[in-house]
């Protein structure tokens, strides 16, 4: 499909879906009495967010923030902000992966300043050993080792997001 051999997936579609059902059950129970607004971080979170929302047993609304990720000393930049006013709302920020933690830390601070009632974070993947700032996700799918992964929304130079599974990017593909 994409012309390169990714070998054995790190997580298959089925494993991803099972994990999402678990996360969805926890979120449905935690927000049973609430009016939840789910905010996806574009572009990486789109596949995860769409499956996660369909696994929920509660009524939710959705919005998106499009930002650039932190890279080295480059700060996070907002490309397109969300539309909803979150003052007094229960907000769940959804992202594909937490790596250094800088991106989520930045977005969390930005959103907290807008006065939500609550703000939690849900990520599919967690590269905990790479953390540069002290932050943990409230809901995390899989903890992964320090490898560069693609698929199911995760990209390398904006490619491979559409793989239906998650795979480690072969080293020889990383130069080009
Ligand atoms: P952080 O600010 O270092 O936590 O970076 C988070 C962002 O970096 C994520 O939203 C991804 O866009 C990107 N990222 C980090 N690790 C990977 C990876 O292994 N594959 C694809 N993107 C990644
Ligand atoms: Mg990305």
């Amino acid at each position: 499909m994409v012309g390169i051999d990714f070998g054995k997936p790190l997580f298959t579609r089925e494993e991803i879906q099972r994990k999402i059902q678990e996360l969805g059950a926890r979120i449905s129970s935690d927000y049973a009495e609430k009016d939840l607004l789910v905010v996806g971080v574009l572009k990486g979170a789109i596949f995860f967010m769409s499956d996660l929302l369909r696994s929920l047993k509660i009524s939710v609304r959705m919005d998106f923030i499009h930002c650039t990720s932190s890279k080295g000393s480059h700060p996070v930049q907002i490309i397109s902000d969300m539309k909803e006013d979150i003052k007094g709302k229960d907000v769940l920020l959804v992202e594909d992966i937490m790596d250094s933690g800088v991106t989520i830390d930045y977005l969390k601070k930005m959103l907290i300043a807008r006065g939500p009632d609550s703000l939690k974070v849900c990520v599919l993947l967690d590269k905990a050993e790479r953390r540069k700032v002290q932050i943990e996700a409230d809901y995390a799918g899989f903890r992964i080792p320090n490898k560069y992964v693609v698929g199911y929304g995760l990209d390398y130079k904006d490619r491979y997001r559409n793989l239906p599974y998650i795979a480690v990017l072969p080293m020889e593909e990383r130069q080009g």
Side-chain angles (χ1 to χ4, degrees):
M1 173 174 103
V2 286
I4 65 171
D5 180 10
F6 288 98
K8 190 171 169 289
L10 185 59
F11 302 110
T12 63
R13 278 168 124 115
E14 292 74 22
E15 287 168 331
I16 295 168
Q17 291 308 322
R18 270 201 297 279
K19 184 59 79 179
I20 289 175
Q21 294 306 315
E22 276 173 44
L23 291 171
R26 282 178 56 202
I27 292 167
S28 298
S29 142
D30 292 353
Y31 290 93
E33 311 299 324
K34 308 275 187 183
D35 182 22
L36 179 62
L37 174 66
V38 182
V39 179
V41 182
L42 296 173
K43 303 175 206 172
I46 61 163
F47 297 90
F48 176 42
M49 173 133 159
S50 91
D51 285 338
L52 182 69
L53 291 197
R54 283 178 289 179
S55 80
L56 297 181
K57 304 282 185 281
I58 52 173
S59 146
V60 294
R61 287 172 308 116
M62 63 197 272
D63 205 338
F64 293 96
I65 291 178
H66 191 186
C67 70
T68 58
S69 311
S70 66
K71 267 186 202 82
S73 57
H74 279 263
V76 179
Q77 278 184 320
I78 304 298
I79 296 168
S80 159
D81 205 339
M82 57 188 293
K83 301 285 180 288
E84 295 265 348
D85 176 7
I86 61 169
K87 197 166 170 53
K89 306 262 171 69
D90 291 295
V91 179
L92 180 66
L93 194 58
V94 173
E95 172 62 310
D96 52 2
I97 187 167
M98 196 186 283
D99 185 20
S100 70
V102 172
T103 306
I104 295 286
D105 187 55
Y106 179 92
L107 293 176
K108 228 180 140 172
K109 286 179 178 147
M110 181 181 100
L111 295 184
I112 284 171
R114 297 175 186 179
D117 236 25
S118 71
L119 176 63
K120 287 191 183 179
V121 173
C122 177
V123 297
L124 180 61
L125 304 178
D126 182 8
K127 275 192 206 172
E129 67 186 78
R130 295 250 308 163
R131 212 69 95 240
K132 286 197 205 127
V133 289
Q134 211 192 343
I135 185 169
E136 290 307 324
D138 301 279
Y139 306 93
F142 301 101
R143 185 178 268 234
I144 64 165
N146 183 13
K147 295 260 172 30
Y148 198 88
V149 294
V150 294
Y152 197 68
L154 293 135
D155 71 303
Y156 175 63
K157 298 190 174 174
D158 211 27
R159 290 189 187 275
Y160 315 125
R161 294 189 196 273
N162 59 318
L163 291 175
Y165 50 84
I166 293 169
V168 174
L169 183 71
M171 272 318 276
E172 60 271 24
E173 299 297 331
R174 289 198 64 170
Q175 285 83 34

